[in-house]
Amino acid sequence: MTVTDPHPTTSPDAARIIRDNMWLHFTPHTGLTGADVPVIVRGDGAYIWDSTGRRYLDGLAGLFAVQVGHGREELAEAAARQTRELAYFPLWGYAHPTAIELAERLANAAPGDLNRVFFTVSGGESVETAWKLIRQYFKATGKPTKHKVISRSMAYHGTSMGALSITGIPGAKADFEPLVPSTQRVPHTNFYRATEHADDYEAYGRWAADRIEEAILFEGPDTVAAVFLEPVQNTGGCFVPPPGYFQRVREICDRHDVLLVSDEVICAFGRLGYDFGAKRFGYQPDIVTTAKGLTSGYAPLGAVLISDRIMEPFQRGSTFLHGSTYGGHPVSCAVALANLDLMEREDLYGHVRAKEAAFRGTLEKLYDLPIVGDVRGTGFFYAVELVKDKATKEKFTDEDATRILKGHVSHALFEAGLHCRADDRAEPVIQLAPPLICDQQQFDEMERALRYALTGAWQLL
């Protein structure tokens, strides 16, 4: 049911300005009129409103970020208080109180001895920072040939030239090549599409982990510096690691002196029901990269959490010549502290763990639709994979995937009052990552909107 705001916000010039002056991110501009771009003007709880007054359930938490929901006054107030006291100062040889407090809080919460915090502005910058740091670490410890990175097929790690090089999505990279060399890809963990050990989930996980060791040996252990892995891989649709997968990867990394980076830009701060995804799956990384949920998207901030071992050479002579103007911004750090307070006070991590089975169960009702092949995920992070034939798992052609997802499903979902993501960069999937405050009412709304859109999509085949 469409819900309208009695006080819509409109701008008669918005369409013209969008058409003539704005360059939207990851958006085709051919034929864009401006009037065809939704203008989101307000948020409250799990919902957002556009400039016409229509309400939508935010089934993607903005972009996997708004953990505590929209319109939380305490976060706005934290930003305002900090702005009045100290609006800005850099961390270039200086410190300020909110960064100090946040660094200690993150270090205390992080798994193991990840006691050092390097602040950034975004997730991609966190990944970029981690790779640069790793390269310098190995040079500082007398192993200058260890510079290569292994990541998984179809995994997304950012858009800057280094982070994009680690990214495993060919279509995202082609227009920017040549990129930074020395990155290699290994299989992801989409068990639904497994061809090896397709009847044994744990054996499939061991097989996938062993491909990492195979790649290290092929490249030469004296040249491989790190493995970058998301706890649950986003692109392709929420690939959950099989039992024992990360433990096997940890053993492999230790055996070959390779650092394990847990890229938790999406997965940290409650998305999986824990503050860090590494805790959810019981493994110890050497570095954790974060952003998004750290502030619930209310202010731009990222952080790289680094082990004492990696910090050691930088305490005896090496200087990390890296940073940014706004990394660890005082206002963003103040928002992050208030955000973490709020999540702790409302026990949102516990809420996710308590409700994830109900979320999954509600989405699994969609299995009665012939177009739904798989529902997978964990926490408040799920994907629905679409198929042409459920019995054979037959995939759509590229043309059909584009026509169905972009030509119908995306529009139909929005029409039904749901903001989420239809993605065809790997298998065609719909991704769902709502605010952590959601409950059965919102789960049911998502299921109804998906059923409406997917029923229409099937009729187009």
Side-chain angles (χ1 to χ4, degrees), residues 173-312:
K173 302 154 74 95
D175 288 336
F176 309 104
E177 294 174 332
L179 296 171
V180 182
S182 307
T183 64
Q184 305 298 326
R185 238 60 60 206
V186 294
H188 49 60
T189 59
N190 183 3
F191 187 60
Y192 180 69
R193 293 291 177 186
T195 56
E196 301 283 344
H197 304 287
D199 58 348
D200 189 329
Y201 193 34
E202 289 193 38
Y204 172 70
R206 291 193 298 272
W207 171 85
D210 287 345
R211 303 289 71 76
I212 294 174
E213 183 163 41
E214 186 178 84
I216 292 170
L217 293 173
F218 180 82
E219 296 296 324
D222 60 335
T223 71
V224 178
V227 176
F228 279 67
L229 303 174
E230 297 166 275
V232 175
Q233 181 172 319
N234 175 38
T235 305
C238 295
F239 301 152
V240 178
Y245 171 82
F246 272 108
Q247 289 69 30
R248 186 88 156 201
V249 172
R250 180 72 267 179
E251 292 171 3
I252 291 167
C253 289
D254 289 342
R255 185 155 53 241
H256 299 293
D257 190 21
V258 171
L259 300 180
L260 174 56
V261 180
S262 190
D263 183 356
E264 305 205 13
V265 172
I266 288 177
C267 292
F269 308 114
R271 183 56 51 198
L272 307 183
Y274 292 79
D275 46 6
F276 296 101
K279 291 183 181 180
R280 173 74 190 240
F281 298 111
Y283 65 95
Q284 179 59 54
D286 299 294
I287 293 176
V288 171
T289 56
T290 70
K292 293 187 184 291
L294 177 55
T295 65
S296 281
Y298 279 63
L301 185 68
V304 185
L305 283 59
I306 303 146
S307 72
D308 290 339
R309 167 195 171 194
I310 297 172
M311 181 66 192
E312 193 273 334

Side-chain angles (χ1 to χ4, degrees), residues 135-182:
R135 283 188 166 210
Q136 186 170 346
Y137 165 78
F138 279 116
K139 287 183 177 177
T141 54
K143 300 174 182 177
T145 62
K146 290 180 78 69
H147 63 276
K148 297 177 182 177
V149 166
I150 293 170
S151 60
R152 291 186 290 204
S153 170
M154 298 309 300
Y156 176 82
H157 293 285
T159 56
S160 59
M161 294 300 275
L164 185 59
S165 301
I166 297 172
T167 289
I169 307 171
K173 302 154 74 95
D175 288 336
F176 309 104
E177 294 174 332
L179 296 171
V180 182
S182 307

Side-chain angles (χ1 to χ4, degrees), residues 1-5 47-50 53-57 417-418 441 445:
M1 180 179 68
T2 300
V3 178
T4 58
D5 190 332
Y47 298 92
I48 54 174
W49 281 260
D50 69 15
R54 290 195 64 196
R55 190 188 78 168
Y56 308 87
L57 172 60
L418 176 62
Q441 175 185 335
E445 288 178 34

Side-chain angles (χ1 to χ4, degrees), residues 60 64 154 188 190 192-193 233-239 371-377 381-387 395-396 400-402 404-406 409-410 413 420-432 450 454:
L60 203 63
F64 311 102
M154 298 309 300
H188 49 60
N190 183 3
Y192 180 69
R193 293 291 177 186
Q233 181 172 319
N234 175 38
T235 305
C238 295
F239 301 152
I371 198 172
V372 174
D374 194 28
V375 174
R376 55 179 177 263
F381 192 27
Y382 278 89
V384 177
E385 182 171 335
L386 309 183
V387 293
K395 302 179 182 182
F396 297 112
D400 280 343
T402 299
I404 291 169
L405 282 178
K406 295 178 181 177
V409 171
S410 292
L413 288 170
C420 61
R421 186 178 196 175
D423 189 0
D424 64 350
R425 290 175 295 177
E427 313 305 341
V429 297
I430 299 172
Q431 295 173 298
L432 299 150
L450 288 164
L454 296 180

